Amino acid sequence: MRNGSFGSGTFRKILLSYTAILIIPIIVFSALNVQRNIVEEKRRQHEAHALDAKRIADLVDNKLNELKTLGKTLSNESWVKKLMQDTNVYDQEFDITKMLDIRTSLGNSVSSQGILSFGMVVFPEQQKAMTSWGMFPLKEFFQSIVAFDEAAEQQLQSSFAQQQYFTILPPASMKLWGSEKRVIPVLQSLEVVNHPRAVLVLFIDSAYFSEYMHRFGGIESQEIVMTSRDALIYSQVRNDPAARNGAASYPIHLSSEASDVQYAISYADSSVIGIGNLFSSLAAILISIVIGACMAYLLAKISYRPLGALLSKLSAAARVEYSRSGKVTESEYNFIEKSFDRLLHENRKLQQSMQDYENAAKSNLYLRLLKGYFMDDQQKNELGKLGIGYTEDMYYCTMLVSFHAIRDFSDFEKIRKIEMLMMVIVEKAMSRYGLDYALFEVTNADKAMIVSSGQPFGDDDMLERIAAEMADEIERLSGFHPDILYGGVEQGLVGISKSYYTANERLRYTVFSREHFQVLQEETMQAGVDYYYPTDWEVQLINNLKIGNLDTSLQILHEIHAENDKRELAEASVSRLLSLLMETMLRVLHELNLDTDIYTKQFCSRAKAANIEEMWSYMFEVGTLICERKRYANTSSAVSAGTELLQYVNDNYSSADISLKQLAEMYHMSLSKVSKIFKEVTGINFYDYVCRLRMEKAKELLRERSCGIDHIARTVGYENVYSFKRAFARYEGIKPDEYVESAECR
């Protein structure tokens, strides 16, 4: 044995290595399995407790919602509305029978809740209370029927005159008809004003509520604690010997979805190690030692020679690698370990790079939304890929946060602190109002925030309150008051851009005012440009027209039209806007090497007529023609033929002989091919295009009144007056004579 393989030092190392490789992992895996079972048991226990805590919280919330519903029902009752008027107009209506019905209805509503001792409707201005026992003056009611201690009664009295949406007061002791009770007062204003004229006051009977919680609250929890505004409302401790012996427990904290109540529900942390798993793991370890030793010897015998050569090579490679870094070692395992560390490090860097890319892509997409994001289906999919759940049915508002008031921008630590505070404060504010938001950096301000919701929001000065609350909170914590400006609430993704430009205008005005610009100058500047045509929208319109994207181009035009209609601009401003739009169209036509003369003439004709709706319609028409022409130009090989056809028609439309047949003979094409090319180039058929040119020329001559209708008919290409009049009436809707009269009136 001494001279055999078993006596070799290398073989022994290999044998020991295989033994360790086979046995140690089994031991480790067994221990990990036990630990995993313990962790899994804890996780299942915690999930079960979390579900039970949520069930208990929902149970209480449902009961609180029932109390809310009772308040809403009573606020709509006619007798409540009439009694809060504090007038004798309805005295005859409230006779004994009516009052008895009211008392019965109120008593039934209160008793149906199952947890209330009693309830009443208080009329603070009249100092009266309506109960199931009748109408009482408040002073008499608190003296003869219900008696509180002085502090509790004073708190109740002071709360009646205040707006109470749904307020839960701390528990108090009282005597009801001489019987001692412990109750939890709940106040709910029946009128949404600062000083309500009617307040519903419900008294949750602690005994009834305890019975309700014992019956439905379950037996798993050790303690249930309910607080409101840091005041203890209710506490229930389970009579458990383990809890009395000081067994470990942990609380689950939940917030009520129905009120400002906070729940703290404690559960026993009874993690038990699986004894069966422990015994099975020990048995597996013992078996693995025996089997592993045998397998290790077999593997060592089989792999000794090739493994020796392999280890020799690995050791040499490791020595070369470490010698380059200044470290020399004979262990190839360190080299392998370092290689894995390097791979893990590169993997983490890759994941971080992917996260940075995703964040950058989101920020870029948010910026595109601010500038006006007119999307097709492919771009909408991009929103989903980045986890942005915006849809056209949602409502949006853009808010801008500016730190321009900070004079010292060198204090990066202070600015960073303010930004961190702002992120926390924004999160709290949006959670409080139930709104979603996305916060990111922009160039014209410091931060931009897109606020979104599936339902309309922003009524009752909500946005002003949110901005003021966030600014005041930042100032309170950091000593710096930021500028927080907001736009209007708009529906649809394009509404983000509309709201952004409104907020941006307000921000610029604020910054200019701070720099002591005169208000008159600002008003003068704003009065000069009152139409809505952002540069970013113009750029997108140009790009989509160039690539022939008809749907998006028309959408941009429609949004511009709709937004300017809402502004109720003066006719001069609308004309200026339409002129700018036409300049954009002509610029695209020029860049696409398309003829612009006919469009210029037609637009000038409509501008002279001062028909705004007709000018808007022409904008959509020209946009459609550009997209159709571009699409044709990108796909057809007959660009030159189409251009020649169009140029010939533009030069000879007044000829009575012009026709498709003539064009087909001139250009050696079939009638159908000429018609198809012309339709693809212009977007309309040949005869409609010729008639449109003739009608525009005819209207120009009619307005000048320099010649008769017969001469005009021949000039524009009609052989007789009858054909001209019929065509004019068909395309313009009126006769030539009537058009002349309407032109004179204008």
Side-chain angles (χ1 to χ4, degrees):
M1 289 293 293
R2 184 175 56 189
N3 297 325
S5 298
F6 194 76
S8 170
T10 303
F11 180 79
R12 287 196 301 270
K13 290 180 181 179
I14 295 175
L15 177 60
L16 291 175
S17 299
Y18 274 122
T19 303
I21 290 172
L22 291 173
I23 295 176
I24 293 177
I26 295 176
I27 298 174
V28 173
F29 291 155
S30 299
L32 291 176
N33 185 54
V34 173
Q35 178 65 23
R36 183 182 61 82
N37 290 338
I38 295 174
V39 173
E40 182 66 21
E41 182 66 25
K42 285 186 177 181
R43 186 188 63 79
R44 286 197 297 265
Q45 181 189 71
H46 187 271
E47 289 180 353
H49 289 167
L51 289 175
D52 185 68
K54 184 66 170 60
R55 180 187 64 80
I56 293 174
D58 290 342
L59 182 74
V60 179
D61 282 356
N62 290 337
K63 186 56 68 176
L64 294 179
N65 283 326
E66 291 180 11
L67 300 183
K68 281 187 179 179
T69 303
L70 175 59
K72 292 180 181 178
T73 302
L74 288 176
S75 66
N76 294 322
E77 290 287 345
S78 61
W79 65 269
V80 174
K81 296 179 179 179
K82 292 176 180 179
L83 286 176
M84 73 171 63
Q85 297 297 322
D86 193 15
T87 179
N88 57 3
V89 175
Y90 304 105
D91 288 351
Q92 295 181 355
E93 180 178 340
F94 292 100
D95 54 12
I96 296 176
T97 303
K98 179 65 175 179
M99 294 298 289
L100 183 59
D101 291 340
I102 293 174
R103 291 167 51 190
T104 303
S105 175
L106 181 59
N108 291 338
S109 299
V110 171
S111 60
S112 65
Q113 303 302 316
I115 62 172
L116 299 178
S117 178
F118 74 98
M120 61 181 181
V121 179
V122 177
F123 302 94
E125 294 181 354
Q126 307 172 38
Q127 286 295 302
K128 292 181 180 181
M130 183 66 192
T131 70
S132 59
W133 306 296
M135 178 76 80
F136 298 92
L138 277 179
K139 185 175 182 181
E140 177 184 343
F141 183 78
F142 282 116
Q143 288 178 352
S144 58
I145 298 176
V146 176
F148 288 93
D149 58 47
E150 183 178 352
E153 182 177 345
Q154 185 176 1
Q155 184 179 16
L156 277 174
Q157 291 279 10
S158 62
S159 300
F160 291 156
Q162 300 175 4
Q163 170 64 28
Q164 307 290 342
Y165 172 66
F166 189 80
T167 304
I168 301 176
L169 299 181
S173 297
M174 74 171 185
K175 287 185 178 181
L176 177 63
W177 301 106
S179 299
E180 189 76 25
K181 286 182 176 292
R182 186 76 173 170
V183 295
I184 304 172
V186 179
L187 281 70
Q188 186 174 1
S189 299
L190 300 183
E191 187 179 26
V192 186
V193 293
N194 290 331
H195 302 287
R197 294 175 294 177
V199 180
L200 175 63
V201 185
L202 303 173
F203 295 91
I204 300 176
D205 193 305
S206 295
Y208 295 163
F209 190 71
S210 296
E211 181 182 354
Y212 175 79
M213 293 300 295
H214 281 291
R215 185 188 308 169
F216 300 106
I219 60 173
E220 294 186 21
S221 60
Q222 286 191 340
E223 183 180 11
I224 301 175
V225 177
M226 297 165 50
T227 59
S228 177
R229 301 178 182 177
D230 298 329
L232 180 64
I233 299 300
Y234 174 77
S235 176
Q236 173 183 315
V237 180
R238 178 184 173 192
N239 188 16
D240 188 353
R244 292 197 301 270
N245 293 333
S249 64
Y250 66 95
I252 295 178
H253 297 277
L254 296 172
S255 297
S256 172
E257 297 179 359
S259 66
D260 57 359
V261 173
Q262 301 293 323
Y263 303 100
I265 305 172
S266 300
Y267 292 90
D269 189 4
S270 56
S271 302
V272 181
I273 299 177
I275 302 300
N277 288 334
L278 182 60
F279 285 147
S280 62
S281 298
L282 291 174
I285 292 172
L286 295 175
I287 294 173
S288 68
I289 292 175
V290 177
I291 298 177
C294 297
M295 292 296 298
Y297 181 77
L298 179 62
L299 289 174
K301 292 289 290 184
I302 295 174
S303 60
Y304 172 67
R305 290 183 179 178
L307 184 59
L310 177 61
L311 290 178
S312 178
K313 292 181 180 180
L314 285 175
S315 298
R319 281 192 293 270
V320 171
E321 179 70 20
Y322 286 117
S323 64
R324 292 175 180 174
S325 61
K327 299 178 181 179
V328 179
T329 179
E330 295 181 357
S331 174
E332 70 279 0
Y333 298 108
N334 289 336
F335 173 73
I336 297 173
E337 181 182 358
K338 293 295 182 182
S339 299
F340 274 106
D341 288 341
R342 185 170 59 254
L343 289 174
L344 290 174
H345 178 68
E346 292 176 355
N347 182 50
R348 284 193 295 269
K349 288 178 60 179
L350 178 60
Q351 291 180 351
Q352 184 62 41
S353 299
M354 293 177 63
Q355 183 65 36
D356 293 341
Y357 169 77
E358 183 176 346
N359 292 336
K362 279 188 176 182
S363 297
N364 181 57
L365 192 53
Y366 285 135
L367 291 174
R368 291 166 64 188
L369 287 169
L370 292 183
K371 299 300 179 63
Y373 197 25
F374 299 92
M375 300 187 301
D376 52 23
D377 292 336
Q378 182 178 359
Q379 292 171 319
K380 289 180 180 178
N381 292 334
E382 185 178 354
L383 288 174
K385 290 180 181 178
L386 294 176
I388 303 175
Y390 291 170
T391 64
E392 293 290 348
D393 298 329
M394 295 175 64
Y395 294 82
Y396 306 92
C397 173
T398 302
M399 305 183 78
L400 296 178
V401 183
S402 174
F403 299 147
H404 285 92
I406 297 180
R407 298 299 181 184
D408 184 12
F409 283 95
S410 61
D411 192 351
F412 297 106
E413 189 66 26
K414 178 181 179 181
I415 296 175
R416 181 61 178 167
K417 178 183 177 182
I418 294 174
E419 290 181 346
M420 295 299 294
L421 284 174
M422 184 187 67
M423 293 171 64
V424 175
I425 291 169
V426 167
E427 173 65 25
K428 290 182 179 179
M430 294 303 150
S431 299
R432 185 163 57 250
Y433 286 92
L435 300 172
D436 296 324
Y437 73 98
L439 186 66
F440 52 96
E441 295 184 356
V442 290
T443 54
N444 58 320
D446 292 284
K447 298 288 183 181
M449 182 164 48
I450 299 176
V451 184
S452 60
S453 176
Q455 302 296 328
F457 64 94
D459 297 336
D460 301 329
D461 299 327
M462 175 194 288
L463 296 174
E464 183 177 356
R465 291 199 307 273
I466 293 175
E469 289 174 6
M470 292 192 297
D472 292 343
E473 186 68 11
I474 292 174
E475 182 178 19
R476 185 180 69 83
L477 296 175
S478 67
F480 166 73
H481 189 86
D483 296 319
I484 302 180
L485 291 309
Y486 57 89
V489 178
E490 303 281 352
Q491 186 178 20
L493 292 170
V494 179
I496 297 175
S497 176
K498 297 178 183 179
S499 181
Y500 163 71
Y501 284 111
T502 302
N504 193 31
E505 289 177 3
R506 294 177 177 177
L507 176 61
R508 286 188 299 164
Y509 178 80
T510 301
V511 174
F512 290 160
S513 299
R514 184 176 293 114
E515 297 297 331
H516 307 293
F517 278 75
Q518 294 183 1
V519 177
L520 180 60
Q521 293 178 346
E522 176 66 17
E523 292 177 350
T524 304
M525 181 182 67
Q526 294 295 334
V529 183
D530 53 355
Y531 51 80
Y532 187 81
Y533 188 34
T535 303
D536 298 304
W537 287 30
E538 180 184 15
V539 172
Q540 291 191 68
L541 177 60
I542 292 173
N543 292 336
N544 282 279
L545 288 172
K546 286 182 178 180
I547 64 175
N549 194 339
L550 178 60
D551 293 338
T552 305
S553 300
L554 294 183
Q555 182 190 359
I556 298 173
L557 289 173
H558 174 75
E559 292 293 344
I560 295 173
H561 188 188
E563 181 63 23
N564 284 281
D565 277 351
K566 288 195 302 184
R567 298 192 173 205
E568 298 181 354
L569 303 176
E571 184 175 341
S573 296
V574 179
S575 299
R576 175 57 181 160
L577 171 64
L578 290 166
S579 298
L580 291 175
L581 283 171
M582 193 61 202
E583 289 177 7
T584 301
M585 301 287 185
L586 294 175
R587 192 187 317 161
V588 175
L589 288 167
H590 180 73
E591 291 181 8
L592 297 177
N593 295 321
L594 298 175
D595 183 32
T596 60
D597 293 339
I598 182 63
Y599 300 101
T600 304
K601 291 179 181 179
Q602 291 179 355
F603 179 78
C604 291
S605 174
R606 287 167 171 77
K608 289 180 181 179
N611 189 329
I612 299 300
E613 288 303 321
E614 188 174 347
M615 293 169 72
W616 273 114
S617 177
Y618 189 67
M619 289 298 105
F620 286 92
E621 181 180 338
V622 174
T624 302
L625 292 176
I626 292 175
C627 291
E628 293 295 335
R629 286 184 176 188
K630 180 59 183 173
R631 188 177 304 166
Y632 163 73
N634 288 338
T635 58
S636 175
S637 61
V639 176
S640 58
T643 304
E644 291 180 11
L645 283 172
L646 184 62
Q647 187 62 45
Y648 181 82
V649 172
N650 289 339
D651 294 340
N652 299 277
Y653 69 88
S654 60
S655 173
D657 298 330
I658 192 170
S659 64
L660 282 175
K661 182 178 180 181
Q662 180 190 21
L663 294 176
E665 293 175 353
M666 288 178 59
Y667 292 95
H668 307 289
M669 300 180 187
S670 63
L671 285 174
S672 60
K673 186 173 182 180
V674 172
S675 177
K676 180 179 179 181
I677 292 176
F678 197 87
K679 177 68 177 293
E680 288 177 338
V681 172
T682 62
I684 58 177
N685 62 52
F686 169 77
Y687 291 104
D688 284 339
Y689 186 79
V690 172
C691 287
R692 181 171 297 174
L693 294 178
R694 289 175 173 177
M695 292 304 106
E696 292 299 327
K697 183 63 176 178
K699 288 191 292 184
E700 181 181 344
L701 295 174
L702 287 171
R703 287 193 298 269
E704 293 176 357
R705 302 180 62 191
S706 58
C707 53
I709 294 180
D710 292 347
H711 179 74
I712 292 174
R714 290 191 299 273
T715 300
V716 298
Y718 289 95
E719 295 180 349
N720 54 69
V721 177
Y722 175 74
S723 298
F724 168 68
K725 288 183 176 181
R726 184 174 61 181
F728 193 92
R730 183 171 72 252
Y731 279 91
E732 300 299 330
I734 58 175
K735 297 178 180 179
D737 298 334
E738 296 173 349
Y739 180 81
V740 173
E741 294 176 1
S742 63
E744 290 176 353
C745 294
R746 287 196 294 267

